[in-house]
Amino acid sequence: KMNLKRVSPILERETETELLNLAPKPWKILKCLETDIVFLENPPGYEALKEEFAWEKTYQSEVESKKNAEPLRYKVSSFAKDYRHKVLKRNKVKDLTKKCILKKQNQEIIQLLDVGCAEGEALETIISELPSSYHSKCIPNGIEISAELASKAKINANRGIWVHNNAVNGMLEFQDSFFDVVVLSSFLEHEINPLSLLKNTFIKLKEEGNVIIKVPNFDSWNRHLRKEKWCGFRHPDHVNYFTPKTLKHISLRSGFKKFSMGFLDRQPLSDSMYAVLEK
């Protein structure tokens, strides 16, 4: 199976690059010296990502290898995650999504999209936690590349449009200016053509719409400390590694005029960062 040979994901052309010694062979992580974007040069193509490297298959093996390599660190990290979600009830993507939806209270219908929707439950969960007046007017939709997960999403859904396709082409299956809120949670790091996806998202978003992004933060202190052992690396299905600077660059380059990212959205102690885009 042929691997791709990618160029700078922000400029979509060949640039001068530096090879970073952060991935095991045969994978090659490069840094574009014009923009500082860090990316996997030679990932498998969409077909392999659809089946062989589908998220639901690689996630479990990644968990096992981390558990075996550093059992104590894995236990501490899992405990911290559970504590954040179950005890503190903190889920930043969910909170940002709700905030964006609540601003649209005067609309009769609010169209939502989850890109990389897996089994399609995330948006319904968010809708269920909103005031009851929003329950029927919020319509969840999804795009999913994995055949198995996409078919589960369609079975689970009782409304909305659920597309089985890669994100770039899947986005084109919707009408222009259709969405009020698009969620790209832990997704852009997987997308081989992130600029094209953001450009297509721009076209499908309403004038007052929002895009919510969560990606690993390549500039986090933990990444600098842990180097190639950083938890944000997943070879080969993470193909882009963003910093606050490069995420802003690609967002503005794709047409968005407003890029919101406060200090708490990119604080260096967190391995994740968050942004909200507007036209």
Side-chain angles (χ1 to χ4, degrees):
K1 284 178 186 172
M2 282 292 290
N3 283 5
L4 304 177
K5 190 173 189 310
R6 295 170 78 219
V7 294
S8 168
I10 293 181
L11 300 176
E12 292 190 326
R13 59 172 169 77
E14 278 194 35
T15 57
E16 204 177 323
T17 57
E18 176 191 345
L19 177 63
L20 304 181
N21 191 22
L22 292 171
K25 287 180 178 173
W27 312 117
K28 284 169 74 178
I29 291 182
L30 303 182
K31 179 179 185 176
C32 162
L33 297 180
E34 280 185 52
T35 61
D36 291 338
I37 182 74
V38 173
F39 62 100
L40 184 66
E41 184 194 35
N42 59 336
Y46 277 138
E47 284 309 310
L49 287 171
K50 216 184 268 189
E51 304 305 336
E52 190 183 339
F53 295 106
W55 180 87
E56 71 276 16
K57 293 174 185 170
T58 61
Y59 177 74
Q60 208 44 52
S61 63
E62 192 74 16
V63 165
E64 289 306 318
S65 69
K66 279 177 181 165
K67 205 189 271 185
N68 296 335
E70 297 177 292
L72 183 62
R73 174 175 261 286
Y74 178 80
K75 268 187 185 162
V76 171
S77 165
S78 300
F79 174 79
K81 248 184 216 167
D82 283 351
Y83 182 76
R84 269 202 315 276
H85 289 151
K86 292 176 185 167
V87 181
L88 299 178
K89 306 281 187 206
R90 271 173 54 200
N91 181 323
K92 195 147 188 178
V93 168
K94 203 186 262 193
D95 294 344
L96 288 169
T97 306
K98 286 182 195 170
K99 202 172 161 186
C100 290
I101 294 169
L102 290 169
K103 283 182 187 166
K104 304 175 195 307
Q105 75 261 28
N106 297 330
Q107 291 181 211
E108 283 179 35
I109 296 290
I110 301 169
Q111 293 286 356
L112 313 175
L113 176 67
D114 187 4
V115 181
C117 65
E119 296 179 17
E121 289 155 359
L123 288 178
E124 285 290 17
T125 302
I126 288 169
I127 293 165
S128 73
E129 293 174 11
L130 290 165
S132 57
S133 59
Y134 286 84
H135 291 185
S136 60
K137 67 178 178 181
C138 287
I139 310 295
N141 304 276
I143 303 172
E144 176 53 55
I145 195 171
S146 157
E148 188 185 335
L149 294 180
S151 67
K152 283 182 181 170
K154 281 182 183 171
I155 292 161
N156 291 340
N158 56 10
R159 55 195 177 148
I161 299 163
W162 301 86
V163 170
H164 172 220
N165 206 335
N166 68 67
V168 175
N169 295 332
M171 195 65 79
L172 298 176
E173 296 190 33
F174 294 91
Q175 297 167 23
D176 291 359
S177 306
F178 186 70
F179 294 113
D180 295 285
V181 181
V182 174
V183 179
L184 289 163
S185 177
S186 304
F187 190 83
L188 271 188
E189 66 268 31
H190 296 268
E191 176 51 58
I192 290 167
N193 298 302
L195 185 68
S196 298
L197 173 57
L198 288 171
K199 281 179 174 174
N200 289 356
T201 304
F202 183 88
I203 293 164
K204 304 301 169 181
L205 195 69
K206 288 182 188 167
E207 229 19 78
E208 303 292 314
N210 303 103
V211 180
I212 292 150
I213 295 175
K214 174 191 178 186
V215 285
N217 182 3
F218 188 77
D219 211 19
S220 69
W221 289 352
N222 193 29
R223 205 281 304 169
H224 290 289
L225 186 72
R226 301 276 293 156
K227 299 185 168 64
E228 72 281 354
K229 288 185 176 173
W230 180 50
C231 59
F233 288 123
R234 278 188 48 186
H235 312 299
D237 56 330
H238 282 190
V239 299
N240 309 300
Y241 295 97
F242 293 99
T243 63
K245 175 189 157 186
T246 57
L247 185 61
K248 183 176 185 177
H249 191 160
I250 199 169
S251 301
L252 298 179
R253 194 173 165 83
S254 62
F256 290 93
K257 298 287 184 288
K258 294 181 190 167
F259 178 91
S260 305
M261 179 187 270
F263 176 73
L264 292 176
D265 300 326
R266 56 176 165 82
Q267 54 108 347
L269 288 171
S270 172
D271 288 307
S272 299
M273 59 180 179
Y274 306 83
V276 179
L277 314 185
E278 287 179 58
K279 282 191 165 184

